[in-house]
Amino acid sequence: MKLKRQTWNNILILSVVVFFGLMLLPDYLRHQRQARATPEGVIALVESRSDVLSLRFSHLTLTRTLEGWQSDKPLVISPTELAQRWLGLTGTQVDDTTMQSLRPQLTSPRTLELTRRPDQEPIRITYYQQPQFWLMQNEHGQWLAVSVDSRYLFPLSKS
């Protein structure tokens, strides 16, 4: 059975379309998985986690090295685990009305500085600890309510 030239052209075109579909499939699946992992209305504190080279708190610094994350203070958990906790934080956006009502309670701001490549500006995250949640401003200036225990974010050892 001999195929016509037009049939071979159609087979070739279909093969190219299938090839490109297969090449794009992993990105599509990854995007779908991330969309399902983050519920509606939940915003990441840090979007570009892979670019972060260090996390600098007033009392602690975590630095990414070739071997993984390192800490300048003793921790109860590994520095890698702590860095992943902070870089994986998500919260719900706080609207302007709620922010105005919270402003009188926001008396002691703390800052986390995320350094990236030398040609990029560091990201500064301002955060406040409230009785029921943390109030954190992400890299886009959005205020997020993050509900985690303080020991989850600051597991410093007593030694």
Side-chain angles (χ1 to χ4, degrees), residues 78-107:
S78 76
T80 300
E81 174 66 22
L82 183 58
Q84 289 173 349
R85 287 180 182 185
W86 273 94
L87 295 175
L89 284 177
T90 59
T92 54
Q93 187 168 2
V94 177
D95 61 28
D96 291 335
T97 307
T98 306
M99 271 307 293
Q100 291 306 321
S101 67
L102 288 172
R103 288 232 186 262
Q105 302 168 30
L106 306 178
T107 56

Side-chain angles (χ1 to χ4, degrees), residues 11-52:
I11 290 172
L12 182 62
I13 290 170
L14 182 62
S15 299
V16 169
V17 169
V18 168
F19 174 75
F20 279 110
L22 289 174
M23 293 301 292
L24 296 174
L25 186 63
D27 288 338
Y28 174 76
L29 293 175
R30 189 176 315 114
H31 176 73
Q32 292 300 315
R33 193 176 318 121
Q34 287 173 347
R36 274 186 267 123
T38 306
E40 180 94 17
V42 175
I43 300 171
L45 183 64
V46 181
E47 284 183 6
S48 53
R49 304 190 274 210
S50 62
D51 294 342
V52 177

Side-chain angles (χ1 to χ4, degrees), residues 11 18 49 53 58 92 125-126 158:
I11 290 172
V18 168
R49 304 190 274 210
L53 299 176
S58 60
T92 54
I125 295 174
T126 302
K158 302 206 184 235

Side-chain angles (χ1 to χ4, degrees), residues 46-47 54 69 85 91 97 104 113 129 132 139 156:
V46 181
E47 284 183 6
S54 71
W69 288 89
R85 287 180 182 185
T97 307
E113 184 177 278
Q129 185 175 10
Q132 282 82 29
E139 60 189 301
L156 298 172

Side-chain angles (χ1 to χ4, degrees), residues 2 8 21 35 41 52 60 64-65 69-71 91 110 122 128 133 143 145-147 150 154 156 158:
K2 190 172 182 181
W8 280 112
V52 177
L60 169 73
R64 180 183 286 175
T65 65
W69 288 89
Q70 304 294 320
S71 172
R110 291 185 253 169
Y128 297 89
F133 60 92
W143 285 99
V146 178
S147 298
S150 62
F154 297 105
L156 298 172
K158 302 206 184 235

